[in-house]
Amino acid sequence: MKKTIISFLPFLFLLALVPVTALADSATEATERIKDRLAQVDSMKASGEVGEDAFGFLAPRSELGPRQKSIVESENADRRIIYEAIASRAGQTMEAVGQQRAIQIATRARSGVWLQKPDGEWYQKP
C-alpha cells in the first residue's frame, strides 16, 4: 500500500500543477490577443468611444456598434483572464489586481483618453 502511494506522488504533484500551467497558458494567449487588437482599442479610446474604468476594464462612453461591442467584450474577457492569473500567483483578489492595473493604465494613458476615478467620476486625461 505504501509503495503504491509513493508511486502516485509524482503524478499527484503534476496533477496539482495542471491548473496553474493551464492558467499561465491562458494568460499568455490572452496577452497575445490583447496585442493583436491594440490598434483597434487605441483608436476607440482616442475617439472617446470607450474609456478605462476604475477596475481595469474598458467601458463604453457612447453607443457602440456590434463590431466595437465585440472588441470591448473580447478585450475585457482577456484582461479578466490575466488579472485572475496574477491574482492567483500574488494571493490577491482579481478585483484588487484590476484596480491596481487601472492606476497603471491611467498613469500611462495618452492625453484625451477617458478615465474613471475610484469614486466613479469620469474625466479626460489632460
Side-chain angles (χ1 to χ4, degrees):
M1 177 75 173
K2 211 176 199 184
K3 192 173 185 176
T4 305
I5 291 173
I6 290 173
S7 66
F8 278 108
L9 285 178
F11 174 75
L12 292 174
F13 176 74
L14 290 175
L15 190 61
L17 290 179
V18 169
V20 173
T21 303
L23 194 58
D25 289 345
S26 293
T28 300
E29 292 167 5
T31 300
E32 289 302 314
R33 289 189 299 266
I34 286 172
K35 286 179 187 176
D36 290 343
R37 77 173 78 83
L38 181 61
Q40 295 168 314
V41 169
D42 281 347
S43 175
M44 292 171 63
K45 289 195 296 189
S47 71
E49 292 174 289
V50 298
E52 294 284 352
D53 73 15
F55 303 99
F57 294 100
L58 286 180
R61 296 275 311 146
S62 65
E63 190 65 34
L64 300 178
R67 182 175 162 276
Q68 287 86 2
K69 282 183 186 177
S70 176
I71 291 168
V72 169
E73 289 169 1
S74 297
E75 180 74 10
N76 287 339
D78 285 338
R79 288 183 185 191
R80 186 169 281 107
I81 289 168
I82 293 168
Y83 297 167
E84 287 174 352
I86 293 168
S88 175
R89 284 190 304 243
Q92 294 182 311
T93 65
M94 194 260 318
E95 291 79 11
V97 171
Q99 290 169 341
Q100 291 166 3
R101 181 65 181 134
I103 294 167
Q104 292 173 338
I105 290 169
T107 301
R108 296 177 183 159
R110 292 186 178 123
S111 178
V113 170
W114 283 95
L115 303 167
Q116 187 182 44
K117 294 179 182 180
D119 67 4
E121 180 186 345
W122 284 93
Y123 68 99
Q124 248 181 322
K125 185 163 183 177

